[in-house]
Amino acid sequence: MICEISIARRSTSARDGMPTMTSRTAVVLAFLLAVLYALPALTAPPLEDDVTHQLMLHNGVAGVHWTPFDLYDFIGAPSRSVARLQETGAIPWYASPNLQFRFFRPLSSASLAADYWLFGNHAWALRLDSLAWFLVALGFAAALYRRILAPGPAALATILYAGASGHVVPVSWAAARHTVLGTALALAACWCYARGRDGWRPGRWLGPLIFVADLCASEMALGAVAIIAAWELLGRRGPFGRRLRELLPYGAIAAGYLAFYVRAGYGARGSAAYLDPTAGASALAIMIRRLGILIGTMVTSVPADLVGGRSIPVQIAAAVLGVLALVAVAGVLRYAWRHVPPDERRVVGWGTAAALAATLPGTLTLASGRTLALAVVPAGAVMAIVVVRALQTVRTSTPGLGRTAAAVVVCGLTLAVVIGGPFFRVRGEREFARVARAQQALASELPPCAGTMVIVNGSDPSVAHVGPALLALRGRPFGALRVLSMSPVHLRIEHVTTTGFDLRSLDKRAPTMQERIYRADPVSPGTQVSLPGFDVNVLEGSRADPDGFWEGSLVHFDFGRPIDSPDFCFIEWTHGRIRPMTAPRPGDVIDISPQFGPVGW
């Protein structure tokens, strides 16, 4: 049986009167652009979690072991408790005791491990692998667009997907392999489902089989169910019972996966970066805010990463702008509705629902464009319809105020998705490469340390994590790592004794990304952390105001032995450089100015 959407799509191109690019030309151009966009970061060195994964594979964290299949099972497994990782310095002293980052991604993990074994530290090879998976995703996206859209919108949607701003991280950050691999498999499952509905028998069993594999690559695979369900329930006609039966295999697999995920103890807890969806109204409010930010990215191409880690007022403003942009799209669509063929009207309906549903998993973490790799497929179809049909309507309408207003909005949307996406994509790739090279350079500045490395101020992960990890990978291991503060604020060392001192935070500021990752709330007064040779006593905890800003704190650190011992290497980040710091002496009061690193934290 040939689906109604395919029949309508073929008839539309003959009557819309629009000059169109052939499907083959659009796909070739999209592939070429995708490769060109990725070039700026192709030869950059490993970045952040890329280095972490290398350290995990090389058993670089004393007493902690990861297999090639659990590189995304970071913290919280019985053999990788918070306390054990704090002892080594792999996570900071202030991390929540119930912190957990456990993600079931064995297929993506094995893909990364295989790349490291085959290519070693050649980051360009790992990026080529991720780029190859992205091209697979792009190919399936183009095939789906050809099935549901007329040639003109299909060509535009394919090119828009190739240049979407959120693809920077999945393509150029090897550690995000799960995103691009999960998207490629999800789109393959959607394509097999569509072919199976058209009578291609292998698609009826290949689709669910690929979906199972996808669930072993990334939680994003659940977005495939959102797309298939929206397409089946809102985009197709026929007996409702039959449509439900078509969804049954995917729904049953997804339900079994979720039950396994919860029972096996996977998921994220104890962090402000990742949400527990069962946490109630507070979590729901944050998810709505993040949804608005992500909608803004899909409509305007402005990267969600620019605001995802900012203060609450900034996030609210970005979410409001995202909703307003969506309202503008709805207004333009209403203006052009008479030029939208019936089949494309159905695509607008189910495509919007699919995009929103596929975006929801991304609201459980800090708003980031990388969570949209799958959602932008149906969103791109809708935006392509809006742009093509609105331009057609403006061109053929009678001059007037309504036409002028529509023309301004349509031109703005067109520039946003056609020019803005590639602009932010290339800019992001260049920034990615800059940060990666800067982190490698900083690591070379770290002084040798045979004992305990004490980093006083490490708000930027380049200083607090990447540098020490690279030091260990380069054969210069140290005894332990102690990062005292990850706050980009004025700090004061005072009340120095022979074995410790107080560290006071003097400024009011928004919590950094690192602080949000490791705990959900400010550290409370009276909190004590006892690690081998390192005791922490929070004398005055940070206070959080309604706008999400944290105010000063006072923490006492005791190292259990004289801090002027050669067993300690005190390090500070100042004036854009890492340099050794003379151990404080009794009576000293030392002020340390805030310093931002390559990442900008």
Side-chain angles (χ1 to χ4, degrees):
M1 173 181 176
I2 305 298
C3 72
E4 302 89 340
I5 293 177
S6 298
I7 295 174
R9 188 266 304 165
R10 294 188 186 99
S11 61
T12 300
S13 60
R15 66 173 181 267
D16 61 17
M18 296 283 292
T20 60
M21 180 185 298
T22 66
S23 298
R24 181 173 298 178
T25 302
V27 172
V28 171
L29 178 59
F31 270 67
L32 177 61
L33 290 173
V35 173
L36 290 176
Y37 295 148
L39 289 181
L42 183 62
T43 58
L47 174 76
E48 295 188 28
D49 282 2
D50 295 342
V51 178
T52 301
H53 280 150
Q54 290 184 45
L55 198 67
M56 292 161 71
L57 284 171
H58 286 84
N59 294 321
V61 180
V64 185
H65 176 69
W66 284 268
T67 75
F69 297 98
D70 54 17
L71 295 181
Y72 292 97
D73 194 341
F74 296 102
I75 303 168
S79 60
R80 294 184 285 275
S81 66
V82 170
R84 180 69 193 99
L85 292 171
Q86 282 179 323
E87 288 179 12
T88 66
I91 61 176
W93 63 268
Y94 66 81
S96 173
N98 64 336
L99 183 68
Q100 174 177 298
F101 295 133
R102 301 193 62 206
F103 305 110
F104 182 72
R105 303 167 184 168
L107 191 58
S108 297
S109 178
S111 172
L112 276 180
D115 280 352
Y116 281 117
W117 286 335
L118 289 172
F119 306 113
N121 295 329
H122 297 293
W124 60 267
L126 278 74
R127 293 199 178 98
L128 279 180
D129 194 352
S130 292
L131 177 59
W133 280 111
F134 176 72
L135 294 179
V136 171
L138 177 59
F140 279 111
L144 289 170
Y145 288 143
R146 288 198 302 272
R147 297 186 67 81
I148 64 175
L149 298 174
L156 178 58
T158 301
I159 293 173
L160 292 182
Y161 186 77
S165 61
H167 293 323
V168 173
V169 173
V171 173
S172 295
W173 195 23
R177 175 69 54 78
H178 66 285
T179 301
V180 67
L181 178 56
T183 300
L185 293 177
L187 293 177
C190 290
W191 182 82
C192 288
Y193 146 79
R195 289 292 310 277
R197 281 291 266 133
D198 285 353
W200 187 55
R201 290 189 176 182
R204 305 187 73 84
W205 58 267
L206 269 178
L209 185 63
I210 294 174
F211 181 53
V212 170
D214 195 14
L215 290 170
C216 295
S218 174
E219 297 80 4
M220 286 184 61
L222 294 172
V225 176
I227 293 175
I228 293 173
W231 194 351
E232 190 67 56
L233 298 179
L234 302 177
R236 293 186 183 274
R237 297 173 179 173
F240 186 70
R242 182 192 172 184
R243 286 182 280 161
L244 286 179
R245 287 195 299 273
E246 295 292 339
L247 288 177
L248 184 59
Y250 297 93
I253 292 170
Y257 165 81
L258 290 173
F260 158 77
Y261 203 87
V262 172
R263 187 174 182 81
Y266 288 99
R269 298 184 183 88
S271 169
Y274 292 86
L275 291 179
D276 180 354
T278 64
S282 59
L284 180 60
I286 296 174
M287 291 173 66
I288 292 173
R289 183 170 71 236
R290 291 174 176 175
L291 179 62
I293 295 172
L294 295 173
I295 288 173
T297 296
M298 288 191 287
V299 175
T300 68
S301 299
V302 177
D305 305 75
L306 295 178
V307 296
R310 299 292 186 90
S311 64
I312 292 177
V314 172
Q315 292 185 46
I316 292 176
V320 171
L321 290 176
V323 174
L324 290 177
L326 186 61
V327 171
V329 171
V332 169
L333 186 61
R334 180 179 179 183
Y335 172 78
W337 196 245
R338 67 181 183 275
H339 282 108
V340 180
D343 58 303
E344 289 184 0
R345 293 183 180 187
R346 291 200 298 274
V347 172
V348 169
W350 73 258
T352 301
L356 292 175
T359 301
L360 287 178
T363 64
L364 298 178
T365 183
L366 289 170
S368 171
R370 71 177 182 269
T371 65
L372 296 174
L374 189 56
V376 293
V377 175
V382 174
M383 289 301 295
I385 292 172
V386 170
V387 168
V388 171
R389 302 309 172 194
L391 288 175
Q392 180 184 2
T393 304
V394 168
R395 189 183 62 190
T396 58
S397 296
T398 303
L401 182 60
R403 179 180 184 230
T404 301
V408 171
V409 176
V410 171
C411 288
L413 289 174
T414 303
L415 289 174
V417 296
V418 176
I419 305 298
F423 170 78
F424 285 114
R425 176 76 182 276
V426 173
R427 182 177 178 181
E429 297 283 356
R430 290 178 176 173
E431 180 67 9
F432 188 101
R434 181 196 67 80
V435 172
R437 293 189 176 99
Q439 289 184 340
Q440 296 284 326
L442 284 179
S444 65
E445 296 180 359
L446 280 170
C449 181
T452 299
M453 180 181 294
V454 181
I455 298 178
V456 178
N457 57 333
S459 62
D460 196 294
S462 312
V463 180
H465 293 311
V466 180
L470 284 170
L471 208 64
L473 286 171
R474 292 172 181 175
R476 297 166 57 195
F478 42 85
L481 175 66
R482 303 290 179 229
V483 181
L484 305 188
S485 173
M486 291 183 174
S487 303
V489 297
H490 287 88
L491 300 173
R492 177 173 294 164
I493 294 177
E494 57 188 20
H495 303 139
V496 182
T497 68
T498 57
T499 62
F501 51 79
D502 291 351
L503 187 65
R504 184 182 293 275
S505 171
L506 302 176
D507 299 335
K508 175 180 178 179
R509 80 291 190 275
T512 65
M513 185 81 75
Q514 292 196 95
E515 290 173 316
R516 295 181 182 188
I517 287 173
Y518 290 113
R519 65 179 304 116
D521 301 304
V523 181
S524 59
T527 298
Q528 296 183 347
V529 178
S530 184
L531 303 172
F534 186 60
D535 291 321
V536 183
N537 185 10
V538 180
L539 304 177
E540 297 176 11
S542 298
R543 298 178 298 278
D545 68 13
D547 290 332
F549 287 88
W550 292 5
E551 299 184 79
S553 62
L554 179 64
V555 183
H556 180 74
F557 299 98
D558 192 287
F559 297 88
R561 45 194 171 140
I563 56 178
D564 60 0
S565 163
D567 292 338
F568 292 105
C569 310
F570 283 86
I571 293 171
E572 66 173 328
W573 166 249
T574 180
H575 298 98
R577 301 293 299 273
I578 291 177
R579 70 178 184 86
M581 176 182 176
T582 302
R585 293 172 297 181
D588 284 350
V589 175
I590 304 173
D591 286 333
I592 301 174
S593 299
Q595 300 290 329
F596 293 98
V599 178
W601 300 350

